[in-house]
């Protein structure tokens, strides 16, 4: 595994200047995944269609880790050299965290769409004037997308959606992402950051048919019961945007985050886009 200080420095270099791609690729190559096998590209079992009268709290069925080198990653951004205060809670990626017997923490999730949405909690607000960005790498550790992030007016959960101008994710391939917050405008120091892996998969036809026939609330449960984290969370967030006063949706959001170990984020404000 890559040493922690080295990863931080390289994350800064990647986000600030793609001209240093060569050295970044060398480091990131150690943590990239082997191509997932065919059974990872297509979920193998259809789950029962959920109903809106479901009384059980939302739960994510964690899919097995892809074969090859573990995804690794970093769900929480801790204290670093510089002027950034330590958030409480810290900068957090809203992604499941699985631990292997070797104590390797894996921050990763599945998606079914070409351009998914990522979710983060940032304790840093716009008034801090801290630069922030999101970076996406392909399996060969090539940077394929970068986006400057405008921090919210107050600490909150925010989203980063890949636009139509971004490359589409290919089925079966794994992509590494970074969300960086820099402690000074020149980006000369290592940022506070979170890091993880996303993999796009195909759904079995039976599950896809269930989704087509289901209402959005049912879709959330279908995605979650089949291990599709990114669409489960994004669909639920969209429902909350449409009905911000719906207490049931708020509770389902909290249930889902608590289930994956994000109880400290579950009740934090959700910044919904206009």
């Amino acid at each position: 595994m890559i040493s922690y200080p080295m990863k931080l420095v390289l994350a800064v270099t990647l986000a600030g200047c793609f001209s240093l791609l060569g050295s970044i690729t060398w480091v990131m190559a150690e943590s990239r995944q082997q191509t997932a096998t065919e059974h990872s590209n297509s979920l193998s079992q259809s789950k029962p269609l959920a109903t809106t009268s479901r009384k059980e709290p939302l739960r994510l069925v964690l899919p097995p880790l892809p074969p090859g080198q573990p995804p690794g990653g970093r769900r929480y951004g801790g204290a670093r050299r510089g002027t950034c205060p330590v958030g409480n809670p810290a900068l957090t990626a809203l992604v499941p965290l699985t631990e292997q017997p070797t104590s390797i923490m894996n921050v990763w999730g599945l998606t079914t769409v070409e351009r998914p949405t990522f979710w983060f909690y940032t304790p840093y607000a716009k008034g801090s004037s801290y630069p922030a960005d999101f970076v996406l790498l392909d399996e060969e550790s090539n940077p394929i997308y970068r986006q400057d992030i405008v921090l919210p007016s107050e600490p909150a959960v925010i989203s980063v959606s890949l636009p139509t101008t971004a490359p589409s994710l290919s089925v079966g391939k794994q992509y590494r992402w970074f969300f960086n917050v820099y402690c000074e405008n020149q980006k000369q120091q290592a940022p506070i950051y979170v890091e993880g892996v996303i993999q796009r998969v195909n759904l079995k036809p039976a599950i896809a048919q269930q989704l087509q026939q289901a209402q959005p609330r049912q879709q959330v449960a279908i995605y979650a019961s089949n291990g599709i984290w990114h669409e489960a969370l994004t669909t639920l967030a969209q429902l909350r945007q449409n009905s911000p006063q719906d207490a049931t949706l708020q509770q389902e959001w909290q249930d889902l985050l608590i289930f994956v170990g994000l109880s400290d984020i579950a009740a934090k404000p959700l910044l919904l886009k206009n």
Side-chain angles (χ1 to χ4, degrees):
M1 298 294 294
I2 306 167
S3 67
Y4 182 66
M6 178 64 73
K7 183 184 288 185
L8 272 180
V9 173
L10 291 174
V12 159
T13 305
L14 169 62
C17 180
F18 286 169
S19 64
L20 297 182
L21 174 60
S23 61
I24 296 170
T25 301
W26 179 85
V27 174
M28 293 306 304
E30 292 193 7
S31 62
R32 70 172 185 262
Q33 311 281 299
Q34 296 179 358
T35 301
T37 55
E38 182 177 353
H39 75 274
S40 296
N41 300 341
S42 182
L43 297 183
S44 60
Q45 184 175 1
S46 173
K47 303 296 181 180
L49 180 64
T51 64
T52 54
S53 60
R54 172 182 44 80
K55 296 181 180 180
E56 292 295 323
L58 274 175
R59 296 176 180 273
L60 176 74
V61 176
L62 287 171
L65 288 172
Q69 187 171 357
R74 180 179 178 83
R75 186 155 75 166
Y76 302 101
R80 298 291 169 267
R81 292 174 299 174
T83 59
C84 290
V86 178
N88 186 21
L91 177 68
T92 305
L94 274 60
V95 182
L97 178 67
T98 59
E99 183 176 1
Q100 292 181 289
T102 55
S103 298
I104 295 176
M105 299 295 181
N106 297 292
V107 182
W108 81 295
L110 299 179
T111 183
T112 64
V113 300
E114 294 182 345
R115 296 175 179 88
T117 296
F118 303 80
W119 295 88
F120 305 94
Y121 170 76
T122 170
Y124 310 108
K126 185 184 299 183
S128 66
S129 299
Y130 296 149
D133 60 23
F134 174 86
V135 179
L136 185 68
L137 284 72
D138 64 15
E139 283 195 320
E140 286 70 45
S141 301
N142 300 311
I144 60 174
Y145 179 71
R146 178 187 174 277
Q147 177 182 333
D148 289 326
I149 303 299
V150 177
L151 295 175
S153 57
E154 63 178 0
V157 172
I158 64 173
S159 63
V160 177
S161 298
L162 297 186
T164 56
T165 53
S168 61
L169 305 190
S170 299
V171 172
K173 293 189 176 180
Q174 297 153 30
Y175 299 81
R176 188 168 296 274
W177 48 261
F178 292 85
F179 186 96
N180 306 300
V181 177
Y182 301 86
C183 299
E184 36 75 40
N185 290 329
Q186 290 72 34
K187 300 183 180 181
Q188 296 299 311
Q189 296 182 353
I192 292 178
Y193 77 101
V194 289
E195 169 199 359
V197 167
I198 186 171
Q199 179 181 346
R200 184 183 171 198
V201 296
N202 277 334
L203 290 172
K204 284 292 186 180
I207 303 173
Q209 185 176 12
Q210 284 185 7
L211 289 167
Q212 291 177 353
Q213 297 172 347
Q215 297 297 318
R217 284 187 185 231
Q218 296 173 321
Q219 290 175 355
V220 175
I222 294 171
Y223 281 127
S225 65
N226 286 280
I228 309 298
W229 171 256
H230 287 272
E231 277 67 74
L233 194 63
T234 299
T235 303
L236 187 52
Q238 292 169 344
L239 286 169
R240 289 193 61 191
Q241 179 171 0
N242 295 335
S243 303
Q245 303 305 317
D246 190 319
T248 300
L249 290 174
Q250 295 177 17
Q251 186 60 55
E252 290 182 342
W253 173 270
Q254 293 184 23
D255 289 343
L256 191 56
L257 292 184
I258 290 172
F259 183 75
V260 296
L262 291 170
S263 57
D264 54 344
I265 305 298
K268 293 298 182 183
L270 173 63
L271 181 63
L272 300 173
K273 296 183 177 180
N274 297 325

